[in-house]
Amino acid sequence: MTLTRWQRPESSFSPFRRVASLRDEVDSLFNLAFGRLTGTNGGENGRGSQLLEGWFPAVDVYEDKDNLLVKAELPGLKKEDIEISLHEGFLTLSGERKQEQAREGAEVYRSERWAGRFHRTISLPCRVEADKIQATYNEGVLAVTLPKAEEAKPKQIQITVK
């Protein structure tokens, strides 16, 4: 069975946006493959070693005429456990989900939730105003609003009649 990610048809074709999207898909593929290589079977308490990367929060990126919006699922984390940085057109989300302590006298029957460090880097499709970035965290969802730089915003060009 083949799974194909559905994407809404874009109203305007942008080869650069398509290349960035392809890069994100390849990164996702490698993240998935290396996540499997590090294993989710075996290891202490039914967990595999997280040698290469750890876990990867799901991320969505939206764009309108004024802003980019990045949303990441980070359930169970505290604000203090999350770090956000911007460097040369890349937004990086990182942090750590703490391992729950085993209950006294209890043995792990099943453990599927990842714990440990995470690191996600998203290439941004345009320049943003770094000093105006806002981040909110509500019910396990981190939302980062990145206002576009003026040169990145679409411009309406007036036509004059002579």
Side-chain angles (χ1 to χ4, degrees):
M1 179 171 140
T2 302
L3 294 177
T4 305
R5 181 180 290 201
W6 180 85
Q7 291 184 329
R8 187 174 306 150
E10 296 182 26
S11 58
S12 62
F13 177 76
S14 169
F16 298 110
R17 187 169 298 148
R18 301 285 296 206
V19 168
S21 177
L22 176 62
R23 179 177 183 263
D24 291 341
E25 290 296 324
V26 170
D27 286 347
S28 177
L29 178 65
F30 276 97
N31 290 341
L32 178 63
F34 285 127
R36 286 187 178 147
L37 282 177
T38 60
T40 55
N41 301 323
E44 183 181 344
N45 295 334
R47 289 190 183 275
S49 160
Q50 295 176 352
L51 293 173
L52 296 178
E53 289 289 333
W55 63 284
F56 308 98
V59 174
D60 293 332
V61 182
Y62 304 93
E63 179 180 11
D64 64 24
K65 68 181 183 87
D66 295 320
N67 300 297
L68 297 174
L69 176 63
V70 176
K71 286 190 170 189
E73 291 181 355
L74 300 169
L77 270 69
K78 295 181 182 145
K79 174 180 101 164
E80 298 80 27
D81 297 330
I82 305 167
E83 299 167 13
I84 306 168
S85 65
L86 177 71
H87 183 68
E88 295 182 4
F90 293 93
L91 180 72
T92 301
L93 309 176
S94 59
E96 184 173 7
R97 179 183 289 157
K98 306 280 193 279
Q99 176 78 31
E100 283 188 20
Q101 297 298 320
R103 295 176 56 150
E104 185 74 29
E107 192 173 312
V108 175
Y109 176 71
R110 173 176 278 188
S111 182
E112 296 179 347
R113 297 181 300 148
W114 281 98
R117 300 240 5 119
F118 69 89
H119 184 89
R120 279 299 298 264
T121 300
I122 299 118
S123 61
L124 302 176
C126 62
R127 293 179 46 105
V128 297
E129 298 282 345
D131 56 333
K132 296 180 182 175
I133 296 173
Q134 295 182 342
T136 59
Y137 185 61
N138 185 31
E139 296 184 2
V141 177
L142 175 68
V144 183
T145 303
L146 304 110
K148 290 182 181 179
E150 281 302 315
E151 66 267 14
K153 292 181 182 177
K155 304 285 189 275
Q156 185 67 32
I157 300 171
Q158 297 297 322
I159 301 172
T160 59
V161 178
K162 293 186 177 187

